[in-house]
Amino acid sequence: MPTSLRKLSAVALTLFFTQWSATFAGGYSFNEIVPDVREPAGVSGGSACPLPSRQLTSPAAIAFRWSTVLGNNPTTILTQDQTAAGRLNEIEQAIQQSLSVWSNVSGTALTSASFAPLTRVASSNLCGSDGIDSICFDQADSAFTPGVLAFTRVITADQIGIQLGSGAPSTQVGQILDADIYFNPSDSLVTFATPAALAANPKAYDLESLLTHELGHSLGFSHSAVWSAMMFPFAPAPGTFTGIRPTVQQPDAPLSDDDRTGLRVLYHDLTDTQFVGSIQGRILPANPISLPASSPGVTGVFGSHVVAVDAASGSVIAGTLGGWSCRAPGPAQFDGTFEIDALSVNQSYKIYAESLNGAVGPSEVSNALVTLCRNPTTDPGWPPLQACVVPQPNLEFTAATLASP
Amino acid sequence: MSYVDRRRFLWVLFLIGLALIAVVAQATTLVRLRFQDLVHYSYSVARVRYIRAQTRMENGEIWTDTSFNVLNHNKGYLPAQIVVRQPGGKFQHLQSHVDGAPEFRPGDEVYLFLSGHPGRQFVIVGWGQGTFRIRRDLRTGGELVTQDSAETPVFDPVSNSFTKTGVKNLPIDVFEQRLKREMLREME
């Protein structure tokens, strides 16, 4: 195809249709996993549709522990209280606060009862694939390079009955079996301060903000392309913190509506009647030959960022990564579909679509994009009828809207 | 969307941006590294082509070892083939996610800023920040280089504004010149 034609046809039209319905699986920026359909349907579910990773929410199902071993060469965790006991209490308070930010979002099945009491462990090297969620401040890891502050390893299984370490066997596909948060312990230029110590240490990173973000990963979130979101992939500058500090009146204050909506989708409360709205649509190219020729079966724009904005207030309510859909038995279809779920009913929304070449690029949400498919190349013996290949995100389109039908 | 609606939306985005200007600056897991920092911290800088990726469980963790052919190296000594280690990957029935770790696909050609030593797996300095992808410009046929973290905005407290200092769609010869300049500066 001539280059000029390709360029011209890369202008996409966006066709939206809106309907209210119960929520179903969509393409939010969650870590996704494709069940292993080579295994019997009894353990895999039989469908190759990607499923989001998530924790169980039954009482005390999520049990975090943290290592009280803190480095002193260099000292990376800064507290206001300098006594040994006071330091630990202050750090623990920051962890508790960060956990309660997520457990206090209304309209979700994730509540404070889902979390077991936080426990302290006075041993080093606590983080590892042992089936126990851990937070480590003094554990070296070869993934750390200059410039890496912290990261979270989240382990999920593609079938039920998988056991990791001392954890219980998985009862759901996509269940998070282990989530460990590592803070860089060995960079002399990097320090983390508790909220109480931040003002006196303006070159330190806010421990609570980073913990809240990393705990979002441990709950199954990937990154969000909404600027105001806690899961936006950029942390506060040294000496500052994300959003608003939590209060007794509003314990989830640091979160944005996008984070809250995502949590409601991921941990849907079946008894909730407020956040059950869903907006769906497809982003289609004006000219189908603009679609990548290298990925057969692609019929819509893949890798778009679609945002729902409250029509009255202009607030960004939620954004999602669009471009695919899936119905059992799978695989994912790259048909340009987007779906924004768990929206408050009796409100009007405007929808905006943009390509991932703005504030966030595909590499920052790669986990939400590259894990949508499996095939005989990635997994020997994979059934061809349930196989697919993830296309490259389309970064070239510009969107125009058509009126709702 | 009407012109008024569009303006209103842009204002909303602008106000959100203003509200966040004081707080947003660095990647969640990453400290922003300047180009000269990447050069300084790297043992080697090389243009490489993806061969294959293999996941393995080692010391209780899942890693992805990606093999690359070395097409040329600008800094340090490298053998003809190298292995780069990344956290996460899929191993048997387990999938380990680490957000922010770059992903590679067959056909990828990239410049990598690497730390580590020959004979062992390398790691990419600053993860996405040390990953520069090469693509061909359909219009000119020339090669362009884009850093994985090119869109990361950096807050400059002096000018009180955001800047994007990453490399995006830079012609390859310009990129090479910049790299040589930084290497020379480091040697001085």
Side-chain angles (χ1 to χ4, degrees):
Chain A
M1 181 171 53
T3 302
S4 56
L5 180 58
R6 180 177 288 273
K7 191 181 171 193
L8 277 174
S9 58
V11 177
L13 283 180
T14 308
L15 175 62
F16 298 114
F17 61 91
T18 305
Q19 70 178 67
W20 300 108
S21 67
T23 58
F24 46 94
Y28 280 84
S29 187
F30 302 135
N31 287 321
E32 307 276 351
I33 188 166
V34 175
D36 190 348
V37 292
R38 294 169 299 180
E39 301 293 334
V43 293
S44 70
S47 168
C49 286
L51 294 172
S53 307
R54 66 183 114 206
Q55 299 266 8
L56 298 178
T57 55
S58 49
I62 309 171
F64 266 98
R65 59 182 187 175
W66 69 284
S67 169
T68 57
V69 178
L70 306 174
N72 53 18
N73 186 26
T75 298
T76 52
I77 309 295
L78 308 177
T79 55
Q80 188 181 50
D81 193 326
Q82 296 298 311
T83 65
R87 288 191 74 199
L88 299 185
N89 288 339
E90 211 170 298
I91 294 165
E92 188 162 88
Q93 197 178 357
I95 302 172
Q96 292 279 20
Q97 195 81 273
S98 303
L99 286 169
S100 72
V101 165
W102 290 106
S103 64
N104 277 282
V105 176
S106 64
T108 83
L110 187 82
T111 66
S112 53
S114 307
F115 291 91
L118 185 63
T119 55
R120 296 181 181 186
V121 179
S123 56
S124 53
N125 298 326
L126 200 60
C127 287
S129 302
D130 53 7
I132 306 172
D133 299 340
S134 307
I135 302 170
C136 299
F137 299 106
D138 189 37
Q139 184 163 333
D141 190 287
S142 56
F144 282 119
T145 75
V148 178
L149 285 180
F151 66 88
T152 304
R153 272 195 176 96
V154 179
I155 298 178
T156 53
D158 63 4
Q159 66 171 67
I160 63 172
I162 298 296
Q163 189 169 10
L164 194 61
S166 57
S170 60
T171 56
Q172 298 174 6
V173 178
Q175 180 183 332
I176 294 174
L177 301 174
D178 188 278
D180 291 339
I181 298 172
Y182 297 71
F183 281 78
N184 192 335
S186 54
D187 189 333
S188 58
L189 300 175
V190 172
T191 53
F192 308 96
T194 62
L198 191 65
N201 296 281
K203 290 185 177 174
Y205 293 91
D206 180 48
L207 183 65
E208 194 171 276
S209 297
L210 266 69
L211 269 167
T212 308
H213 179 100
E214 298 300 331
L215 284 168
H217 288 311
S218 77
L219 294 173
F221 277 94
S222 185
H223 284 139
S224 167
V226 173
W227 269 32
S228 55
M230 176 59 74
M231 297 315 294
F232 190 66
F234 312 114
T240 66
F241 53 90
T242 304
I244 306 166
R245 288 284 192 208
T247 61
V248 175
Q249 292 77 22
Q250 200 186 353
D252 68 343
L255 301 183
S256 71
D257 282 331
D258 179 62
D259 302 307
R260 295 186 186 102
T261 305
L263 198 71
R264 288 173 187 130
V265 172
L266 200 51
Y267 296 98
H268 181 55
D269 179 3
L270 294 173
T271 64
D272 180 63
T273 56
Q274 177 67 34
F275 301 101
V276 292
S278 177
I279 299 174
Q280 307 153 49
R282 291 179 69 193
I283 301 178
L284 303 171
N287 185 343
I289 59 174
S290 68
L291 292 169
S294 56
S295 304
V298 178
T299 58
V301 173
F302 175 63
S304 57
H305 181 221
V306 186
V307 183
V309 175
D310 184 286
S313 67
S315 304
V316 174
I317 302 299
T320 188
L321 295 172
W324 63 276
S325 66
C326 196
R327 290 194 184 281
Q333 302 294 312
F334 297 96
D335 56 3
T337 295
F338 70 86
E339 181 174 326
I340 304 176
D341 294 329
L343 294 171
S344 179
V345 293
N346 301 322
Q347 272 179 254
S348 295
Y349 300 91
K350 288 183 176 173
I351 300 294
Y352 297 88
E354 59 180 356
S355 63
L356 279 176
N357 60 3
V360 169
S363 65
E364 280 135 350
V365 289
S366 60
N367 278 343
L369 297 177
V370 301
T371 53
L372 302 175
C373 286
R374 295 170 76 173
N375 53 59
T377 306
T378 61
D379 298 87
W382 194 265
L385 289 177
Q386 288 172 289
C388 62
V389 176
V390 180
Q392 291 284 356
N394 188 325
L395 304 181
E396 302 294 330
F397 79 93
T398 53
T401 52
L402 297 179
S404 297
Chain B
M1 183 181 357
S2 70
Y3 176 74
V4 173
D5 280 347
R6 187 176 171 79
R7 276 191 66 97
R8 186 176 175 194
F9 178 63
L10 289 172
W11 268 107
V12 169
L13 288 185
F14 175 70
L15 290 173
I16 292 168
L18 275 185
L20 286 163
I21 267 178
V23 296
V24 178
Q26 324 259 359
T28 293
T29 54
L30 305 172
V31 176
R32 166 59 87 174
L33 298 174
R34 297 168 302 170
F35 195 75
Q36 55 262 46
D37 297 329
L38 288 170
V39 173
H40 173 74
Y41 287 126
S42 57
Y43 161 81
S44 179
V45 182
R47 177 174 176 159
V48 298
R49 183 186 294 138
Y50 175 101
I51 306 173
R52 76 183 81 84
Q54 192 172 21
T55 53
R56 62 181 75 235
M57 178 80 87
E58 208 170 283
N59 298 325
E61 297 295 356
I62 296 172
W63 302 89
T64 298
D65 287 344
T66 308
S67 300
F68 292 96
N69 273 330
V70 176
L71 303 179
N72 61 53
H73 49 268
N74 305 67
K75 180 184 178 186
Y77 166 77
L78 287 178
Q81 214 176 85
I82 58 167
V83 177
V84 173
R85 174 158 282 196
Q86 298 276 95
K90 192 162 180 334
F91 183 78
Q92 295 172 354
H93 288 293
L94 300 173
Q95 186 165 297
S96 173
H97 290 289
V98 180
D99 275 273
E103 301 271 352
F104 300 102
R105 298 174 181 223
D108 278 354
E109 266 192 44
V110 290
Y111 279 94
L112 295 179
F113 289 65
L114 300 165
S115 67
H117 300 283
R120 297 187 57 189
Q121 299 94 344
F122 290 94
V123 292
I124 305 170
V125 177
W127 296 8
Q129 297 187 82
T131 304
F132 294 74
R133 296 183 193 262
I134 302 167
R135 71 176 181 90
R136 197 164 286 281
D137 187 335
L138 291 174
R139 274 186 307 123
T140 64
E143 288 182 317
L144 301 174
V145 180
T146 296
Q147 190 177 14
D148 261 14
S149 59
E151 300 299 341
T152 306
V154 178
F155 181 64
D156 176 9
V158 178
S159 62
N160 207 32
S161 63
F162 278 114
T163 54
K164 288 185 178 179
T165 57
V167 169
K168 187 173 183 180
N169 291 333
L170 201 63
I172 200 155
D173 51 339
V174 179
F175 174 80
E176 290 264 2
Q177 285 166 15
R178 185 172 173 190
L179 186 56
K180 279 182 190 146
R181 209 166 44 239
E182 288 304 337
M183 286 166 54
L184 281 172
R185 187 181 296 176
E186 185 170 78
M187 287 166 63
E188 287 169 356

